C-alpha cells in the first residue's frame, strides 16, 4: 500500500516539477486543461479495466472495440440522428462487454483468449462496416460532447470525474463491489459463500463495456468522425494506468482511487514528453518498459503472499 | 464432558461415483456439544461422508436424522439452514478481503441510502458484530480491518471458525484445520474447538494428526473402505489402537504413525 499512498504521489510530484522546469508552459492553465481533456478517455477505460482486473480478468479488446463502436455509432448517427447514435454506441459497449463476460464466466475461456478473440472480431466488423474509411458528416451538435465546457472545465473531464466517483463508491460501498473483490481474491470462497459468481462477473464486464462505449462516443466526437483505428493502444494504456496505480493482475488487490493516480501519472508523463518533444514512437517504448516494470515491482513486493 | 442426546445421526449411508463405492453403509452419531474426531486414510470416505452431511452430495441410500427428524439435503443451503457449517481447508476465505469482509461474505449487512434503489454496506454494524463474535470465542485480533492474507495460518482458521459461528452454527465440520499450521498455533485452534463445545456447538474434526484428536475430541470414529471401523470414546482407546483400525489388520510396527505429522 505504500506505493499508492507514498511512492506514486511522490513520482507524480517529481514528474510535474521536472517537466515544469524543462518547459514553463507545463503549468499554464491551457496545458493543464489539455492534460485533463486527454486523460478523460483513459479515465473511462481505466476505471472499467480496473474493475475487471479486480474481478480476476483483464481486457485486451478495449482499443478495437472503441474503433468498432466509433464506426457503428457514427453510421447510426448519420442515419437516424445524434441521440440514437450516441445511445447505440453506449448500448453496443454494454453488449460487447457482456459477451466478453459470458465467454469468461460461462464458457470459462481465459480472459486472454476471450478478449483476444473479441479484438479480432471487432476489428473485422469495424473494417467491414467502414470499408476502412472514416465516417464523416456527423451532426454538428455532436462536437460539443468532446470539445464543450462546463464551468470552464472540459466536458470529457467532467464525465470522467463523475465516473471515477461513481465507480469508487460502487466498489467500496456496495455489495456489488464487495463481491467483485471477493471473486478476484478467491472465486471458490465466493462461490461457497453463496455469491452468484457468474452473474457478478458478467455484470462487471458489462459495466466495463458501458464505460468503453462512453469512451468511444466521446473520442468519436473529439475526432469529429468515426474511425476503425480510433482506439488504438487503449487496451495497453488502460492496463498500464491500472497496474501503475498498484492494482495487481489476478489477485483482487487495488482500487479505483489507485487507478486515478495511475491515470494522472500517465497523463503528466505523456503530456510532459510531448512538451519536451519526445516522439510518440519513443513514448510507446517507454510505455512497454513501464508496464513490465510496474508488474515486476508489484510481484516482487508481494512475493510469498 | 457428557454428550447429550444425538444431534445428528447418519445411518447406513451408501454413495457410489460410477463404479467406485465411496461409502458402503457408513453410520455416524454426533451429540450436542460433542467433539467427534473423524479419521481414516485418504480413500476411506471421510470427505464424501461430510459432503453428504453438508448437502453437497446426495446419498444413494441411508438416512440423515437431525434432532430426531429425518431430513433430506438437496443443496448446501438446506444443511446450512439447520446450522451445519463446513470449514474447508483452502476455499474458506478471500485473502484480499479483511476479517469483517470475510466473516460477512455472502450476507452483508446493508443500510438504505435511497429506498429500493441503492443500499450501502453497513460497515459499522458488521464491524461491531464481528468484534462481538471474536470476543465470544475469545479470539484476539489486532485489527478486524486487516486483509486476512496478512494473518497467520492459525488466525485465518480462527476467522473461518468465527464466520461459521456467526451463522449460528450448531454443527461445525473442520477439514484438517491444523494441517498447515506452525506448532504453537495448533494449540490455539484446538482451544477454539473446546470453546465451541463450551458454547454448545458440536464439532466434527477431520484430521490426520491423531494427537490433535486425542487432545480435544470426546469420541473418535475411524472410517475404512467406506464403512465405520471403530467408534469409541477417546478414553476407551489409544493412538496405537486407532492407527491399527485406520490401516486395517494387525499390521504392527506402524504405531509410529500415531505421533508423526
Amino acid at each position: 500500500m505504500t506505493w499508492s499512498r507514498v511512492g506514486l504521489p511522490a513520482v507524480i510530484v517529481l514528474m510535474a516539477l521536472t517537466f515544469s522546469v524543462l518547459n514553463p508552459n507545463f503549468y499554464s492553465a491551457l496545458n493543464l486543461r489539455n492534460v485533463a481533456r486527454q486523460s478523460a478517455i483513459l479515465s473511462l477505460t481505466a476505471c472499467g479495466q480496473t474493475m475487471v482486473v479486480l474481478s480476476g480478468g483483464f481486457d485486451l479488446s478495449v482499443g478495437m472495440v472503441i474503433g468498432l463502436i466509433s464506426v457503428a455509432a457514427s453510421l447510426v448517427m448519420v442515419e437516424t440522428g445524434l441521440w440514437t447514435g450516441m445511445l447505440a454506441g453506449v448500448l453496443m459497449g454494454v453488449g460487447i462487454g457482456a459477451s466478453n463476460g459470458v465467454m469468461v464466466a460461462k464458457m470459462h475461456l481465459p480472459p486472454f483468449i476471450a478478449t483476444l478473440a473479441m479484438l479480432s472480431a471487432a476489428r473485422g466488423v469495424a473494417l467491414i462496416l467502414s470499408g476502412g474509411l472514416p465516417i464523416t458528416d456527423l451532426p454538428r451538435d455532436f462536437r460539443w460532447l468532446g470539445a464543450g465546457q462546463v464551468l470552464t472545465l472540459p466536458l470529457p473531464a467532467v464525465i470522467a470525474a463523475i465516473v471515477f466517483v461513481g465507480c469508487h463508491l460502487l466498489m467500496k460501498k456496495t455489495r456489488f463491489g464487495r463481491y467483485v473483490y471477493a471473486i478476484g481474491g478467491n472465486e471458490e470462497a465466493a462461490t461457497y459463500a453463496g455469491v452468484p459468481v457468474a452473474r457478478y462477473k458478467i455484470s462487471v464486464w458489462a459495466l466495463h463495456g458501458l464505460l468503453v462505449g462512453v469512451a468511444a462516443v466521446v473520442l468519436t466526437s473529439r475526432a469529429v468522425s468515426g474511425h476503425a483505428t480510433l482506439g488504438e493502444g487503449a487496451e495497453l494504456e488502460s492496463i498500464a494506468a491500472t497496474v501503475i496505480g498498484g492494482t495487481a493482475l489476478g489477485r483482487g488487490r487495488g482500487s479505483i482511487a489507485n487507478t486515478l493516480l495511475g491515470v494522472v501519472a500517465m497523463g503528466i508523463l505523456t503530456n510532459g514528453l510531448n512538451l519536451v518533444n519526445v516522439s510518440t514512437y519513443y513514448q510507446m517504448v517507454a510505455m512497454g518498459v513501464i508496464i513490465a516494470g510496474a508488474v515486476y515491482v508489484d510481484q516482487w513486493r508481494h512475493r510469498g503472499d | 464432558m457428557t454428550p447429550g442426546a444425538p444431534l445428528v445421526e447418519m445411518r447406513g449411508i451408501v454413495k457410489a461415483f460410477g463404479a467406485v463405492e465411496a461409502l458402503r453403509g457408513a453410520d455416524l452419531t454426533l451429540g450436542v456439544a460433542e467433539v467427534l474426531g473423524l479419521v481414516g486414510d485418504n480413500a476411506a470416505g471421510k470427505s464424501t461422508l461430510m459432503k453428504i452431511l453438508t448437502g453437497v452430495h446426495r446419498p444413494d441410500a441411508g438416512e440423515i436424522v437431525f434432532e430426531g427428524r429425518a431430513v433430506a439435503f438437496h443443496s448446501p443451503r438446506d444443511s446450512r439452514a439447520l446450522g451445519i457449517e463446513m470449514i474447508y481447508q483452502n476455499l474458506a476465505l478471500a485473502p484480499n478481503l479483511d476479517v469483517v469482509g470475510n466473516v460477512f461474505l455472502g450476507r452483508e449487512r446493508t443500510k438504505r441510502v435511497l429506498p429500493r434503489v441503492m443500499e450501502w454496506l453497513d460497515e459499522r454494524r458488521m464491524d461491531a458484530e464481528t468484534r462481538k463474535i471474536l470476543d465470544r470465542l475469545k479470539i484476539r485480533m489486532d485489527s478486524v480491518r486487516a486483509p486476512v492474507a496478512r494473518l497467520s495460518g492459525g488466525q485465518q482458521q480462527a476467522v473461518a471458525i468465527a464466520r461459521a459461528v456467526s451463522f449460528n452454527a450448531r454443527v461445525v465440520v473442520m477439514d484438517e484445520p491444523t494441517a498447515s499450521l506452525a506448532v504453537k498455533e495448533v494449540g490455539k485452534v484446538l482451544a477454539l474447538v473446546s470453546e465451541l463445545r463450551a458454547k454448545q456447538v458440536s464439532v466434527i474434526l477431520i484430521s490426520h494428526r491423531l494427537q490433535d484428536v486425542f487432545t480435544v475430541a470426546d469420541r473418535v470414529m475411524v472410517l475404512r473402505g467406506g464403512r465405520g471401523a471403530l467408534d469409541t470414546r477417546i478414553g476407551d482407546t489409544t493412538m496405537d489402537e486407532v492407527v491399527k483400525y485406520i490401516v486395517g489388520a494387525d499390521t504392527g510396527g506402524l504405531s509410529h504413525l500415531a505421533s508423526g505429522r
Side-chain angles (χ1 to χ4, degrees), chain B residues 21-24 41 43-45 223-227:
Chain B
E21 280 197 299
L23 293 172
R24 300 186 293 180
D41 74 14
L223 267 183
R224 193 157 62 81
R227 226 180 252 137

Side-chain angles (χ1 to χ4, degrees), chain B residues 109-164:
Chain B
R109 306 277 188 257
T110 54
K111 55 188 173 193
R112 295 233 173 91
V113 184
L114 293 171
R116 285 171 169 274
V117 184
M118 203 161 63
E119 288 191 334
W120 281 5
L121 297 173
D122 193 344
E123 296 287 1
R124 199 182 292 171
R125 187 169 153 210
M126 291 193 283
D127 198 303
E129 287 184 29
T130 301
R131 286 170 199 279
K132 213 184 288 172
I133 294 159
L134 294 179
D135 282 349
R136 212 168 54 160
L137 293 173
K138 303 192 172 98
I139 299 170
R140 293 189 52 185
M141 208 150 295
D142 293 338
S143 165
V144 291
R145 288 299 173 185
V148 299
R150 277 202 228 133
L151 304 179
S152 69
Q155 284 179 313
Q156 293 188 15
Q157 272 296 337
V159 173
I161 292 167
R163 174 178 162 78

Side-chain angles (χ1 to χ4, degrees), chain B residues 145-186:
Chain B
R145 288 299 173 185
V148 299
R150 277 202 228 133
L151 304 179
S152 69
Q155 284 179 313
Q156 293 188 15
Q157 272 296 337
V159 173
I161 292 167
R163 174 178 162 78
V165 169
S166 69
F167 282 97
N168 293 318
R170 311 205 37 207
V171 177
V172 175
V173 182
M174 294 188 206
D175 184 14
E176 300 285 354
T178 56
S180 55
L181 298 188
V183 179
K184 63 173 181 181
E185 294 212 314
V186 171

